[in-house]
Amino acid sequence: MPTNSAHSEQLSNGRLRSEYYEPIPPNYFAPKPGDEVLNIGIVGAGIAGLATASALLQSGHHVFERSCFANEIGAAINMCPNASRVLSYLEFNFHRARPVTLDEQRLTDGRTLEVRRTQFTPDFKDLYGAPFLLYHRADLHNELKRTATEPRPHTSNVAKIHLSANVVDISLDGEISLYDGTKYMKDVVIVADGISTRFASKVVDSGEDLRIYPTGSMAYRFLVPAEKLMEDPQTRHLFEGEAMKMVISPAGDKRLVWYPCRGGELQNFGFFLPDDIEGFEDEVWSIPASREKFMKASTELHPDLQAVCGKAEDLKLWRLCSRKKPLSKLARGQVVLIGDAAHPMLPHQGQGGAMAIEDAAALGVLLSGVRSKDAIPERLQQFEQLRLKRVAAMVIFSSVGQDEAHRIKDIVRPFVDGPLPSCPAEYHMYNFTPNVLRDAMELLESNQNSARL
Ligand SMILES: Cc1cc2nc3c(=O)[nH]c(=O)nc-3n(C[C@H](O)[C@H](O)[C@H](O)COP(=O)(O)OP(=O)(O)OC[C@H]3O[C@@H](n4cnc5c(N)ncnc54)[C@H](O)[C@@H]3O)c2cc1C
């Protein structure tokens, strides 16, 4: 597989680095004189909905969110270069969101703490033109909300978010119905209602299975303030030193993974193990956890790691679920699916949120320069054309560990042009290289050119 070298002008996709990663000026895709200003409705204000609201800020639009925004789960999320690149374009305030840059990754034995491998993190900004950053989810979400709802350096337009606005129906011609009977007619309806989507069924062909199935694994998610870990001599040695580390500690059929977030003030933990959750069939992310069962499961870990588990705050259980297959349609009529509603994925590539942000960027470009609203369904088909293979491949890659590529190579083949990645460095290259803004811009231009011929 070709490589991305920091010193090479040519990227692994054959593009010239200076051209492909050249920053696109803010608001580049805002309506120009003669363009239609679209009236857009977004269902759901998670990462996908908020990023899309920011990407389409120049259009008049409303975001409908059924919650009152108090429910972003306490855990961390990593944003890879392919997503950071989009956030930069959206004038996201990185400084305020307080992410952490990773210095090294370690594999340690979860029972003995013996270090099996240490890998220093490459300079991703050098390699891919944008950083790899770790956030507290609430910090990322809050800053995305600000990006959408407060004036940015280069635009004073802001999105209107309706909270406690449960959407109960949508139609393919653009109608959104709320729980209280209010109806809105929109030029485009963007469905970003998450993994348990109610509206993806409007878009996919009948017979396509939208249900999510338990995979047999679950994870306890928790946070511990770094201060608490440093105060205790039993846990201090695991966290001391300047380097920001991601550590993976397998122990039999269990695995403890941790990394810092919120400027290093918090450590984020995921303890992965076989699923033994009883009940909560409809819940995925925030299942109440029994501390007693959690501590019992942690007895397979080294006593110092058990001491870490004993300090867990905000303990939640996450049931790892996925669809049987990636979707074969993302858009129909005036309606388009994005984020987890379109492509829920397991955490093995850390790309679920990143794909939502790429979707947002693609829509921002492909819904620009619209001269007649009749062109909207065609533009949404272009979104499907651009995104379908990329997100299907990511769903499949995410279903197994990065060291298990052989298990999915035949299933993923139809969705990947070029060589298949088969080790972490190759996955990085496959995942991080694309610049969705430029890819969408080029697709739009080439479709416009062929329409003129
Ligand atoms: C524990 C965990 C760790 C993860 N780690 C990573 C990571 O490191 N990197 C990464 O890239 N991804 C990660 N992901 C995946 C990533 O978080 C998701 O892919 C991403 O949050 C999906 O965003 P979304 O906006 O599509 O969905 P959601 O965040 O689920 O948002 C959907 C929104 O729609 C609202 N809604 C639903 N129905 C309605 C309705 N009828 N009317 C109005 N509003 C409605 C919901 O209230 C919600 O706010 C992780 C996921 C989990 C669970």
Side-chain angles (χ1 to χ4, degrees):
M1 192 157 179
T3 55
N4 267 9
S5 144
H7 307 293
S8 154
E9 170 62 357
Q10 188 157 43
L11 296 167
S12 58
N13 60 2
R15 303 297 304 265
L16 294 182
R17 171 189 302 276
S18 52
E19 191 186 282
Y20 192 59
Y21 288 156
E22 190 191 344
I24 295 172
N27 299 327
Y28 187 79
F29 303 103
K32 315 273 179 304
D35 289 349
E36 291 279 3
V37 175
L38 305 181
N39 182 8
I40 287 168
I42 301 176
V43 183
I47 293 174
L50 289 175
T52 307
S54 302
L56 288 164
L57 213 45
Q58 308 298 333
S59 304
H61 65 261
H62 292 249
V63 183
F64 302 97
E65 167 56 47
R66 71 176 170 195
S67 73
C68 46
F69 257 165
N71 62 352
E72 187 52 43
I73 55 172
I77 182 164
N78 60 71
M79 283 282 116
C80 305
N82 50 314
S84 298
R85 182 176 298 125
V86 172
L87 294 178
S88 295
Y89 168 71
L90 297 178
E91 299 190 279
F92 177 87
N93 189 325
F94 289 89
H95 177 71
R96 224 163 28 190
R98 302 185 60 204
V100 167
T101 308
L102 207 58
D103 297 309
E104 65 179 65
Q105 279 178 279
R106 260 190 206 178
L107 183 67
T108 63
D109 189 303
R111 292 193 177 115
T112 63
L113 293 183
E114 181 198 339
V115 178
R116 292 198 198 142
R117 195 173 63 221
T118 299
Q119 208 179 356
F120 295 100
T121 314
D123 185 337
F124 286 107
K125 192 148 192 258
D126 240 25
L127 286 171
Y128 300 102
F132 183 130
L133 300 169
L134 311 170
Y135 295 84
H136 189 293
R137 294 179 69 94
D139 298 341
L140 176 71
H141 196 256
N142 284 338
E143 204 45 51
L144 278 173
K145 188 169 60 169
R146 282 208 188 106
T147 310
T149 57
E150 293 179 8
R152 307 193 304 226
H154 291 89
T155 179
S156 53
N157 286 26
V158 292
K160 168 117 186 83
I161 302 185
H162 301 254
L163 296 179
S164 306
N166 190 17
V167 175
V168 292
D169 200 12
I170 62 165
S171 71
L172 290 179
D173 60 358
E175 189 172 74
I176 293 181
S177 308
L178 297 193
Y179 69 106
D180 61 0
T182 319
K183 291 187 190 301
Y184 293 81
M185 202 60 206
K186 298 288 175 186
D187 298 321
V188 184
V189 177
I190 297 172
V191 173
D193 59 348
I195 189 167
S196 307
T197 176
R198 185 169 176 174
F199 303 118
S201 57
K202 300 274 179 180
V203 167
V204 299
D205 292 327
S206 64
E208 192 143 9
D209 189 357
L210 286 168
R211 280 169 299 179
I212 47 164
Y213 295 88
T215 59
S217 297
M218 64 177 197
Y220 289 97
R221 307 273 308 193
F222 59 98
L223 295 161
V224 185
E227 210 177 14
K228 258 176 119 176
L229 295 161
M230 293 301 284
E231 271 166 10
D232 181 347
Q234 196 179 356
T235 54
R236 184 187 308 137
H237 68 102
L238 295 164
F239 301 93
E240 60 196 355
E242 291 291 298
M244 293 292 178
K245 294 191 280 286
M246 177 182 283
V247 182
I248 302 176
S249 289
D253 60 0
K254 305 185 175 60
R255 189 163 39 106
L256 184 68
V257 179
W258 73 86
Y259 57 84
C261 62
R262 192 166 286 169
E265 275 172 25
L266 292 169
Q267 289 284 344
N268 167 73
F269 296 83
F271 185 34
F272 294 82
L273 61 168
D275 182 350
D276 66 357
I277 302 169
E278 285 162 20
F280 297 99
E281 265 75 34
D282 295 330
E283 187 53 79
V284 179
W285 283 16
S286 278
I287 299 173
S290 144
R291 188 168 277 271
E292 198 189 329
K293 268 181 91 176
F294 164 63
M295 286 312 296
K296 197 163 164 221
S298 77
T299 53
E300 273 200 47
L301 299 170
H302 186 277
D304 295 355
L305 295 179
Q306 290 178 47
V308 169
C309 293
K311 300 180 196 307
E313 293 182 4
D314 206 6
L315 183 67
K316 289 275 167 13
L317 247 182
W318 169 27
R319 178 188 273 128
L320 274 67
C321 292
S322 66
R323 287 193 185 132
K324 291 239 157 92
K325 283 204 297 192
L327 295 187
S328 54
K329 262 200 98 39
L330 297 176
R332 191 186 291 272
Q334 315 289 120
V335 180
V336 61
L337 304 180
I338 63 166
D340 277 10
H343 41 70
M345 55 189 81
L346 293 175
H348 299 294
Q349 302 287 341
Q351 281 282 335
M355 287 300 104
I357 288 174
E358 284 193 4
D359 289 343
L363 280 177
V365 178
L366 294 169
L367 290 175
S368 68
V370 172
R371 289 296 166 122
S372 154
K373 291 188 179 178
D374 295 342
I376 291 171
E378 164 58 23
R379 293 297 187 92
L380 297 182
Q381 289 308 315
Q382 290 182 27
F383 172 84
E384 181 176 298
Q385 183 189 347
L386 181 73
R387 299 296 295 153
L388 201 62
K389 280 168 85 176
R390 168 88 168 148
V391 296
M394 204 58 81
V395 166
I396 299 168
F397 285 141
S398 299
S399 64
V400 296
Q402 293 196 342
D403 52 351
E404 300 172 305
H406 57 279
R407 287 179 50 202
I408 40 95
K409 68 180 187 346
D410 295 334
I411 320 171
V412 80
R413 184 67 275 175
F415 302 109
V416 179
D417 302 323
L420 293 178
S422 62
C423 63
E426 290 178 2
Y427 274 116
H428 283 173
M429 211 157 46
Y430 177 84
N431 296 351
F432 303 166
T433 301
N435 180 355
V436 64
L437 290 158
R438 205 157 286 283
D439 292 345
M441 194 160 89
E442 290 172 5
L443 176 70
L444 187 60
E445 279 166 11
S446 86
N447 284 336
Q448 281 168 341
N449 288 341
S450 45
R452 272 186 220 115
L453 293 176

